[in-house]
Amino acid sequence: MIGELLRVVAVAGRVVVDGRRRLPGRGAWLHPDPDCLAKAERRRAFPRALRATGALDAREVREHVEHTATHHEPGTSPESRGSKEAGRPVMSQP
């Protein structure tokens, strides 16, 4: 399941994609799905999960998720498979 999640970290006031899962600092995990990203932004989950003060710019993550969604096979999202994780857009990592 973790291979299907996208790791993001806060860097200089922005949320950036950690594709190699090697960037330092506290990370958060997100389904690479536009609906999950929208829910995370609406709930202001990134500053909370990443323990950042103030708002974070998630533009890079949004572009990555939109690009992934347009090149993703239909019916392979966590929601379509009935995953337990489908309702949890962001999980923090210690």
Side-chain angles (χ1 to χ4, degrees):
M1 192 65 168
I2 196 125
E4 299 169 6
L5 297 175
L6 182 65
R7 183 173 190 263
V8 297
V9 295
V11 176
R14 300 172 315 157
V15 181
V16 297
V17 175
D18 183 9
R20 296 186 63 204
R21 301 176 179 171
R22 300 273 191 268
L23 291 176
R26 185 172 184 85
W29 297 91
L30 173 76
H31 288 111
D33 177 70
D35 293 334
C36 287
L37 175 60
K39 186 182 281 187
E41 290 182 306
R42 194 170 47 250
R43 293 181 175 182
R44 298 183 193 131
F46 290 122
R48 189 172 53 251
L50 299 172
R51 294 186 183 165
T53 56
L56 294 172
D57 179 12
R59 185 176 335 163
E60 179 182 326
V61 176
R62 194 174 314 109
E63 290 171 359
H64 179 85
V65 168
E66 288 171 358
H67 176 74
T68 302
T70 59
H71 294 92
H72 206 268
E73 293 180 32
T76 59
S77 72
E79 293 80 7
S80 66
R81 290 189 308 272
S83 169
K84 287 183 178 181
E85 297 291 328
R88 301 181 68 197
V90 176
M91 301 183 319
S92 63
Q93 172 191 359

